[in-house]
Amino acid sequence: MRRSVWIRVVISIILVCFFTISLAVRNTDSRGEAKSTPVITVETDNQPIYSQAIARSAAPKAIATPSETGNISQLKYQPNYEVIPVHPTNYGSRLVTDINGVPVSNQPIIVLHETVSSAASTINFFQTPHYEESKQASYHALIKLDGTVVYLVPPEYRAFGAGNSVFDGASGPEAVKTHPNFPPSVNNFAYHAALETPPSGRNNARRHSGYTEEQYRSLAWLIAQSSVPEDRITTHRAVDRSGTRIDPRSFNMNKFLQILRDYKQQSTRNT
């Protein structure tokens, strides 16, 4: 009788150890980086505040919080928003050194994308666990057709928005190698923002009907919270080195920049 009791105790201990190890493995992504759960947000001025814009990085903040840019909240245009955390396998920490241990301090950039699929389909993909590294992907934010801003990955984390990529900066090419088996990329210092593709563009065509007025306004509103200069706002097509990315297709950069300047001027007048 006493022996059977001890057997049950030993089995219980083994099961507890097994589940503890399983949870630890689940919270460490296949890239070998310790993962944290998404940062808890609070709301102010009808928009979420993340703990900081780019933590664990020597670069200045890419997207400031509303509390740090109070004048932005005074703009007449205020988009609706949603906060939908993605699965931890689909993003990582921003690193202070590259794969070889060399310190990195790139200034932040903003990379513009389009989803190609619907917003719902894209978000579902990001919320799905991807333990196969080649399938891991995410954006920091997504703008729906109606202008709703969907916050996906907190800006202090590294979204997996661009694979083989390089930014041609004023001082030369910029990229950081963070994985031994993948090419260098801009992800470590990039904020990735995507526009939902209209139904006419959910294919491989090179152009489509374009984006809504609400999308341009919401994207400009989001980027107006940033201190990133215009010459460090770029597109997925521009940074891609795989030769396969052409997004955001049919995007009017001049129109976007004009709206962005208008918002920043409004912000300045409110000081």
Side-chain angles (χ1 to χ4, degrees), residues 117-126:
S117 59
S118 68
S121 177
T122 301
I123 293 168
N124 180 67
F125 184 85
F126 294 163

Side-chain angles (χ1 to χ4, degrees), residues 60-231:
K61 297 180 178 181
I63 298 292
T65 65
S67 63
E68 295 168 324
T69 55
N71 295 315
I72 293 295
S73 66
Q74 298 176 26
L75 295 177
K76 292 182 179 179
Y77 182 74
Q78 292 288 312
N80 294 324
Y81 78 94
E82 300 174 62
V83 180
I84 305 178
V86 308
H87 191 271
T89 57
N90 290 316
Y91 65 92
S93 299
R94 293 192 188 271
L95 308 179
V96 295
T97 62
D98 67 11
I99 195 67
N100 298 311
V102 178
V104 294
S105 58
N106 303 77
Q107 298 298 301
I109 64 173
I110 294 172
V111 181
L112 306 180
H113 302 253
E114 68 172 298
T115 61
V116 181
S117 59
S118 68
S121 177
T122 301
I123 293 168
N124 180 67
F125 184 85
F126 294 163
Q127 289 188 306
T128 301
H130 291 118
Y131 298 102
E132 184 178 338
E133 293 175 309
S134 62
K135 294 182 178 179
Q136 294 170 349
S138 59
Y139 305 128
H140 289 98
L142 185 157
I143 313 295
K144 291 184 175 181
L145 293 174
D146 66 359
T148 298
V149 178
V150 182
Y151 296 96
L152 298 165
V153 175
E156 64 264 33
Y157 289 94
R158 175 167 49 99
F160 301 151
N164 183 1
S165 54
V166 176
F167 176 69
D168 291 320
S171 301
E174 298 181 43
V176 178
K177 188 172 178 62
T178 59
H179 193 288
N181 299 327
F182 292 122
S185 80
V186 301
N187 288 339
N188 201 57
F189 54 96
Y191 183 88
H192 296 285
L195 296 160
E196 179 180 12
T197 301
S200 65
R202 294 170 192 174
N203 50 49
N204 294 322
R206 299 193 67 84
R207 296 189 60 82
H208 53 63
S209 60
Y211 307 98
T212 66
E213 288 296 318
E214 290 81 5
Q215 284 180 298
Y216 278 105
R217 295 176 70 189
S218 291
L219 180 63
W221 181 92
L222 179 68
I223 305 308
Q225 299 180 56
S226 166
S227 59
V228 175
E230 288 184 9
D231 63 357

Side-chain angles (χ1 to χ4, degrees), residues 17-37:
C17 291
F18 173 78
F19 284 114
T20 301
I21 293 171
S22 297
L23 286 172
V25 171
R26 182 180 180 83
N27 287 326
T28 302
D29 75 2
S30 55
R31 295 171 182 258
E33 299 167 359
K35 306 299 291 197
S36 302
T37 54

Side-chain angles (χ1 to χ4, degrees), residues 51 101 135 163 171 180 235 239 270:
S51 59
K135 294 182 178 179
S171 301
T235 64
V239 300
N270 287 331

